[in-house]
Amino acid sequence: MSSRPGRTLRSGRALLGFVSVIIALFLVTPAIYLVVRVAGIGGDEALAYLFRPRTGQLLWRTTQLAVIVTVASILLGVGSAWCVTRGIRRGRPVVIALLAAPLAIPSYVSGFVWMRLVPGFEGLWAAALVLTLACYPLVMLPTLAVLSGTGRTDEDAARTLGCGPVTAFLRVTLPRIRTVIVAGGLLVALYAISDFGGPAIVRFEPFTVGIYNAYNGTLDRSVAALYGLVLALIAVVLALAERHVRRDVDSGVTPRRARTAHDRLPAWAFVIVTVGVGVVVPVAGLVTEIRESRRLGFDGVGELLAWVGPFTKTTMILSGQAAIVIAVLALPLAFFVSRPRTRTGDTVEVVSYLGYTLPGVTVALSMVFLGTRVFPDYYLSATMLIATYAVLFLPVCLGPVRSGVDAIPPQVADVSRTLGAGPLATAVRVRLPLVMPSVLAGAALAFLSVAKELPATLMLAPIGTRTLATDMWSLNNDLNYGRAAVLGLVLIIVASVPTAALSTLFGRGVSR
């Protein structure tokens, strides 16, 4: 009798591992496609392309951009979370919503506005600014959630021993939130090396732009596939580094109620400047573009709404469906790669990040190959498009969900089983409710990412499907900046819905 619970646990773990491996095999499809394409080049020719000066130049630019954006996003994200929990008391939900609002602004929209406002806004630092403003909420939101529950008892003790506020935070609080910072930093780094629109619009050429140019500039896609493999290897290195940093962190810390903060002028000043640069400038720039445009061609608000309505509906339906699918796939992965750690779990976690680091055009082309050769009935269907979204954006959801799973003390499951609950009942009735806020956060981030996604939607959307992002891009290429700005504003509004819900969730946790 005593061995039955152990056998049940092992069988449940085995089933979870089987499901996770199947998901990982699906997520590795783009990398397999890249390997097949590169293998067709031949070893000598592939090495010649790999070690030519242009490849090194693209690698250096990509590395520079990723390092700058990751460091800046961590500083800005952690700083914002610290200001909200330690220096702002009134209006916290609104402040959090405003700080998270850049998630709803595509990098190519922000870059377009800054280029119109600042002459000569281009190059590395321009791309770094645009991507940092788009990425820092990926660090801020999970950090905010953890800071809201860590309490300040240890910080106060450090202060009584002579430490200043900054020293107390670095020595006491920072080690407790290192896990979520590293997880958020990994997402930022992967976003920085995979984003196309932001760098392209400010005329900076990392690997993503180089891949796009290689696809459009020649009929031979092998060079672009080779560049894609380089990006995939970078993703593996980043994921392994994140696992190494996280492995010794105690994730079983019991949260404590945070002490009420007082309003502090430096915290408010930091927030105001951040919101001004990240939100007010892009939105004001779009409004100015609309007001100055003479090519809108609408006689009234009703005609405008009739024009933008179908794009909005399609965007919300696709984003909502994709977010649900991604959240369902992220749950078993998060539980499997958490405690206890195994080699299979480590491999599954590393593989899950491959699609996110690849440019959307590369993943889309691999799915085109899969659709035309293996599943022709699903080619140019909503099913194939949502599957592509899952490959691209599952890590956006997996990061918060995994952090939520890691934050559950191991004793919780032990206590549940001692009370007679089996593994399935423990997972459904105990662990799932505890991790559900993280699941909702991950789903919201996935919704935002899908709503803003461009190249995969352009290549794989069913015939006649038009979204806010695709039509905005087309209007921008046609130099119809006024209508493009209208769609940009609507896209921001649509993406702001899950952002506001997400911010409200975190705001309640911080306000308790």
Side-chain angles (χ1 to χ4, degrees):
M1 294 295 292
S2 61
S3 62
R4 183 174 298 175
R7 291 198 301 268
T8 305
L9 284 174
R10 288 192 295 271
S11 61
R13 181 72 180 177
L15 178 60
L16 187 64
F18 176 76
V19 173
S20 298
V21 169
I22 295 298
I23 296 174
L25 290 176
F26 165 69
L27 296 176
V28 82
T29 301
I32 295 175
Y33 163 79
L34 293 177
V35 171
V36 172
R37 291 305 301 263
V38 172
I41 303 177
D44 295 337
E45 189 174 355
L47 290 176
Y49 279 121
L50 186 61
F51 289 103
R52 66 178 182 171
R54 174 168 171 77
T55 304
Q57 186 181 54
L58 293 175
L59 178 61
W60 173 240
R61 291 175 179 174
T62 302
T63 303
Q64 283 181 298
L65 183 63
V67 171
I68 294 173
V69 172
T70 302
V71 173
S73 296
I74 289 176
L75 294 176
L76 193 58
V78 175
S80 300
W82 188 86
C83 287
V84 170
T85 56
R86 303 299 192 254
I88 293 178
R89 180 179 182 181
R90 292 171 292 184
R92 281 181 176 176
V94 176
V95 171
I96 295 171
L98 291 174
L99 287 171
L103 287 173
I105 303 176
S107 60
Y108 48 86
V109 174
S110 180
F112 167 77
V113 172
W114 280 98
M115 284 193 67
R116 300 298 294 265
L117 294 176
V118 181
F121 185 82
E122 59 184 45
L124 171 62
W125 292 103
L129 174 62
V130 168
L131 294 185
T132 298
L133 294 176
C135 290
Y136 81 85
L138 296 175
V139 178
M140 183 200 71
L141 289 175
T143 303
L144 183 65
V146 176
L147 279 178
S148 66
T150 56
R152 296 186 58 183
T153 305
D154 294 337
E155 281 190 39
D156 293 340
R159 295 290 299 277
T160 61
L161 295 176
C163 295
V166 177
T167 303
F169 175 81
L170 294 177
R171 291 184 177 180
V172 177
T173 306
L174 187 60
R176 295 178 179 270
I177 63 176
R178 187 177 68 174
T179 300
V180 294
I181 293 176
V182 172
L186 174 63
L187 287 179
V188 171
L190 293 175
Y191 186 98
I193 67 176
S194 65
D195 186 64
F196 165 76
I201 206 164
V202 297
R203 300 184 178 91
F204 182 71
E205 189 181 19
F207 261 122
T208 50
V209 181
I211 290 172
Y212 182 82
N213 293 335
Y215 274 122
N216 286 337
T218 177
L219 294 177
D220 186 5
R221 306 292 195 255
S222 301
V223 176
L226 180 63
Y227 290 163
L229 269 184
V230 175
L231 282 182
L233 291 176
I234 295 175
V236 171
V237 172
L238 289 174
L240 290 175
E242 188 265 352
R243 292 285 296 187
H244 177 74
V245 172
R246 185 164 50 89
R247 65 182 180 181
D248 295 326
V249 177
D250 181 14
S251 57
V253 179
T254 303
R256 293 179 293 242
R257 186 177 297 275
R259 193 181 71 181
T260 302
H262 299 286
D263 288 311
R264 302 182 186 277
L265 182 60
W268 276 103
F270 186 92
V271 168
I272 291 172
V273 172
T274 302
V275 172
V277 176
V279 180
V280 177
V281 170
V283 173
L286 291 175
V287 173
T288 301
E289 194 67 48
I290 295 173
R291 293 178 59 185
E292 296 179 352
S293 175
R294 299 181 179 179
R295 297 182 57 189
L296 290 181
F298 299 113
D299 295 331
V301 177
E303 187 175 345
L304 172 62
L305 294 177
W307 173 68
V308 78
F311 307 145
T312 305
K313 180 180 179 181
T314 302
T315 300
M316 295 188 68
I317 291 175
L318 285 175
S319 301
Q321 291 174 341
I324 293 173
V325 171
I326 290 171
V328 171
L329 294 178
L331 262 176
L333 288 177
F335 279 108
F336 182 67
V337 302
S338 185
R339 300 179 296 265
R341 288 188 58 192
T342 63
R343 290 185 178 180
T344 304
D346 291 348
T347 303
V348 167
E349 184 174 15
V350 170
V351 166
S352 67
Y353 287 101
L354 289 179
Y356 188 71
T357 190
L358 297 174
V361 63
T362 302
V363 176
L365 282 173
S366 69
M367 299 304 285
V368 168
F369 176 83
L370 185 66
T372 55
R373 303 292 182 87
V374 183
F375 303 108
D377 293 338
Y378 293 97
Y379 180 58
L380 294 182
S381 67
T383 301
M384 181 65 71
L385 181 59
I386 291 175
T388 305
Y389 290 148
V391 174
L392 284 169
F393 301 121
L394 189 140
V396 174
C397 184
L398 179 60
V401 176
R402 188 199 58 198
S403 297
V405 173
D406 287 344
I408 300 175
Q411 296 82 3
V412 170
D414 296 336
V415 171
S416 175
R417 286 193 291 269
T418 59
L419 295 176
L424 181 60
T426 299
V428 174
R429 298 171 58 184
V430 179
R431 303 182 73 183
L432 186 59
L434 291 175
V435 81
M436 188 54 64
S438 298
V439 175
L440 295 177
L445 292 174
F447 184 102
L448 294 171
S449 301
V450 172
K452 298 185 295 182
E453 205 286 325
L454 185 64
T457 309
L458 286 171
M459 298 178 63
L460 287 167
I463 297 175
T465 300
R466 300 167 65 181
T467 66
L468 292 170
T470 58
D471 263 58
M472 179 186 173
W473 187 265
S474 300
L475 290 169
N476 179 73
N477 291 337
D478 293 338
L479 305 182
N480 195 337
Y481 299 127
R483 287 201 173 197
V486 171
L487 293 184
L489 279 178
V490 176
L491 177 58
I492 291 174
I493 294 172
V494 169
S496 296
V497 174
T499 303
L502 184 62
S503 303
T504 302
L505 174 65
F506 286 121
R508 289 175 180 175
V510 175
S511 300
R512 287 197 297 265

mmCIF file of all heavy atoms in Angstrom, residues 9 33 201 244 267 279 299 431-432 477:
data_model
loop_
_atom_site.group_PDB
_atom_site.id
_atom_site.type_symbol
_atom_site.label_atom_id
_atom_site.label_comp_id
_atom_site.label_asym_id
_atom_site.label_seq_id
_atom_site.Cartn_x
_atom_site.Cartn_y
_atom_site.Cartn_z
ATOM 1 N N LEU A 9 2.850 8.963 -8.353
ATOM 2 C CA LEU A 9 3.648 10.151 -8.624
ATOM 3 C C LEU A 9 4.541 9.961 -9.836
ATOM 4 O O LEU A 9 4.670 10.845 -10.696
ATOM 5 C CB LEU A 9 4.486 10.517 -7.390
ATOM 6 C CG LEU A 9 3.757 11.183 -6.228
ATOM 7 C CD1 LEU A 9 4.701 11.331 -5.048
ATOM 8 C CD2 LEU A 9 3.219 12.542 -6.653
ATOM 9 N N TYR A 33 13.927 22.829 -39.767
ATOM 10 C CA TYR A 33 13.875 23.392 -41.121
ATOM 11 C C TYR A 33 15.176 24.112 -41.471
ATOM 12 O O TYR A 33 15.713 23.950 -42.579
ATOM 13 C CB TYR A 33 12.696 24.360 -41.223
ATOM 14 C CG TYR A 33 12.767 25.291 -42.407
ATOM 15 C CD1 TYR A 33 12.415 24.856 -43.680
ATOM 16 C CD2 TYR A 33 13.176 26.615 -42.240
ATOM 17 C CE1 TYR A 33 12.482 25.712 -44.767
ATOM 18 C CE2 TYR A 33 13.240 27.472 -43.317
ATOM 19 C CZ TYR A 33 12.888 27.026 -44.579
ATOM 20 O OH TYR A 33 12.957 27.869 -45.648
ATOM 21 N N ILE A 201 13.205 50.035 -38.869
ATOM 22 C CA ILE A 201 12.658 51.361 -39.130
ATOM 23 C C ILE A 201 13.624 52.466 -38.731
ATOM 24 O O ILE A 201 13.530 53.589 -39.240
ATOM 25 C CB ILE A 201 11.305 51.529 -38.404
ATOM 26 C CG1 ILE A 201 10.436 52.563 -39.133
ATOM 27 C CG2 ILE A 201 11.497 51.907 -36.951
ATOM 28 C CD1 ILE A 201 8.987 52.521 -38.754
ATOM 29 N N HIS A 244 21.661 28.342 -15.295
ATOM 30 C CA HIS A 244 22.807 28.282 -14.380
ATOM 31 C C HIS A 244 22.665 29.299 -13.256
ATOM 32 O O HIS A 244 22.935 29.009 -12.088
ATOM 33 C CB HIS A 244 24.095 28.537 -15.152
ATOM 34 C CG HIS A 244 25.321 28.572 -14.282
ATOM 35 N ND1 HIS A 244 25.881 27.442 -13.738
ATOM 36 C CD2 HIS A 244 26.078 29.619 -13.856
ATOM 37 C CE1 HIS A 244 26.939 27.779 -13.015
ATOM 38 N NE2 HIS A 244 27.072 29.097 -13.068
ATOM 39 N N ALA A 267 10.596 58.833 -6.445
ATOM 40 C CA ALA A 267 9.882 57.736 -7.099
ATOM 41 C C ALA A 267 8.876 58.268 -8.108
ATOM 42 O O ALA A 267 8.764 57.756 -9.232
ATOM 43 C CB ALA A 267 9.171 56.879 -6.046
ATOM 44 N N VAL A 279 5.346 56.328 -23.243
ATOM 45 C CA VAL A 279 3.928 56.309 -23.607
ATOM 46 C C VAL A 279 3.482 57.623 -24.247
ATOM 47 O O VAL A 279 2.906 57.629 -25.339
ATOM 48 C CB VAL A 279 3.060 56.009 -22.363
ATOM 49 C CG1 VAL A 279 1.584 55.979 -22.748
ATOM 50 C CG2 VAL A 279 3.467 54.694 -21.732
ATOM 51 N N ASP A 299 -15.651 60.887 -43.851
ATOM 52 C CA ASP A 299 -16.614 61.969 -43.688
ATOM 53 C C ASP A 299 -17.101 62.106 -42.254
ATOM 54 O O ASP A 299 -17.635 63.154 -41.877
ATOM 55 C CB ASP A 299 -17.821 61.739 -44.614
ATOM 56 C CG ASP A 299 -17.429 61.806 -46.086
ATOM 57 O OD1 ASP A 299 -16.462 62.531 -46.399
ATOM 58 O OD2 ASP A 299 -18.075 61.120 -46.906
ATOM 59 N N ARG A 431 -2.106 23.396 -6.484
ATOM 60 C CA ARG A 431 -1.042 24.069 -7.224
ATOM 61 C C ARG A 431 -1.579 24.962 -8.341
ATOM 62 O O ARG A 431 -1.069 26.064 -8.560
ATOM 63 C CB ARG A 431 -0.074 23.027 -7.796
ATOM 64 C CG ARG A 431 0.550 22.118 -6.741
ATOM 65 C CD ARG A 431 1.532 21.146 -7.336
ATOM 66 N NE ARG A 431 2.768 21.812 -7.734
ATOM 67 C CZ ARG A 431 3.772 21.182 -8.348
ATOM 68 N NH1 ARG A 431 3.650 19.895 -8.653
ATOM 69 N NH2 ARG A 431 4.853 21.842 -8.665
ATOM 70 N N LEU A 432 -2.604 24.497 -9.065
ATOM 71 C CA LEU A 432 -3.134 25.292 -10.161
ATOM 72 C C LEU A 432 -3.708 26.631 -9.699
ATOM 73 O O LEU A 432 -3.421 27.667 -10.313
ATOM 74 C CB LEU A 432 -4.181 24.495 -10.932
ATOM 75 C CG LEU A 432 -4.722 25.150 -12.214
ATOM 76 C CD1 LEU A 432 -3.584 25.422 -13.191
ATOM 77 C CD2 LEU A 432 -5.778 24.260 -12.867
ATOM 78 N N ASN A 477 3.939 51.652 -45.813
ATOM 79 C CA ASN A 477 4.731 51.474 -47.032
ATOM 80 C C ASN A 477 4.164 52.276 -48.196
ATOM 81 O O ASN A 477 4.908 52.673 -49.109
ATOM 82 C CB ASN A 477 4.789 49.989 -47.408
ATOM 83 C CG ASN A 477 5.610 49.180 -46.420
ATOM 84 O OD1 ASN A 477 6.468 49.717 -45.722
ATOM 85 N ND2 ASN A 477 5.340 47.884 -46.346
#
